[in-house]
Amino acid sequence: MVIDGLQFARSASALSGQVKEPQLARLAALQCRTAGLQFQLLGVTNERGKLALGLRVKGELQLICQRCLQP
């Protein structure tokens, strides 16, 4: 999905949903596992009056330990 960030912020749009593991190719390449991540994207005006995007992500990741190389 591609959005126009300025237009999204200008119109104070909101988008939320869930991203499943197969859609997270970069995390899969690092051998991370997840049931999915929930997200919320908000178009906002920040404290300095500038248009911005606010992103919240919630979920759990199983990472590989860099020391023992185990989950």
Side-chain angles (χ1 to χ4, degrees):
M1 173 185 298
V2 177
I3 64 165
D4 178 337
L6 285 175
Q7 181 58 35
F8 197 88
R10 217 178 268 124
S11 62
S13 295
L15 178 67
S16 61
Q18 184 168 2
V19 181
K20 299 286 186 182
E21 185 175 349
Q23 297 171 287
L24 302 168
R26 291 172 69 183
L27 289 179
L30 297 171
Q31 299 179 344
C32 295
R33 301 288 174 246
T34 182
L37 300 174
Q38 296 174 354
F39 71 91
Q40 182 180 30
L41 180 65
L42 302 170
V44 298
T45 302
N46 68 17
E47 60 277 352
R48 294 180 294 183
K50 303 280 186 177
L51 295 173
L53 298 176
L55 178 64
R56 292 184 182 141
V57 179
K58 182 179 179 181
E60 292 185 20
L61 293 174
Q62 182 183 50
L63 306 174
I64 300 297
C65 174
Q66 296 297 302
R67 191 175 124 241
C68 69
L69 300 177
Q70 297 295 316

